[in-house]
Amino acid sequence: MTAKLDYQWHLRQVMATRGMFSTTDLLAPLAERGIKLSSSQVYRLVVDRPERLSLKILMALLDILDCTMEELIEPMPVAGLAKKTKVVGGEAGVGELRPKRARIAPAGE
């Protein structure tokens, strides 16, 4: 019997490590590589785990993010999948990579 495999999609985390915090940051680089996707399609690609993905898009993402397939897609056995818990303020692992908001203090402080 062969082991059943699943995968985790790490596009959002890889983008965050590269300083890309908005899904629209991918629109122009994808278009430069001849891939025309709407902003909602890119959003779904970043936020959701894709069930199907063209090799052209995958290769473009690897090129844009200068990463390997192992960084983007993590294979794992089906039985080992744990339910993802939502973290307030973003996904687990991305929050600490976000830039801190500037605090504006009144003059004289």
Side-chain angles (χ1 to χ4, degrees):
M1 175 186 258
T2 60
K4 292 187 179 182
L5 291 177
D6 205 355
Y7 66 96
Q8 281 191 335
W9 183 240
H10 297 294
L11 179 57
R12 182 175 222 147
Q13 290 87 345
V14 173
M15 286 176 62
T17 61
R18 307 304 194 267
M20 300 172 82
F21 297 100
S22 175
T23 59
T24 55
D25 291 341
L26 285 176
L27 283 173
L30 285 169
E32 289 171 7
R33 288 160 179 82
I35 298 170
K36 308 283 190 241
L37 296 176
S38 69
S39 57
S40 64
Q41 288 172 313
V42 173
Y43 176 82
R44 284 193 309 269
L45 183 65
V46 173
V47 175
D48 297 332
R49 188 178 86 148
E51 292 299 319
R52 287 174 275 146
L53 183 66
S54 81
L55 288 177
K56 284 185 178 186
I57 294 174
L58 177 61
M59 296 311 294
L61 290 172
L62 296 177
D63 183 43
I64 292 165
L65 298 169
D66 191 30
C67 67
T68 64
M69 202 164 346
E70 291 80 21
E71 292 174 275
L72 205 55
I73 304 168
E74 178 186 355
M76 51 191 338
V78 171
L81 284 179
K83 187 175 179 182
K84 264 186 155 178
T85 56
K86 298 241 178 186
V87 176
V88 176
E91 283 189 289
V94 177
E96 68 271 4
L97 298 172
R98 293 188 191 277
K100 296 199 189 256
R101 293 188 184 260
R103 203 179 100 176
I104 301 172
E109 274 191 28

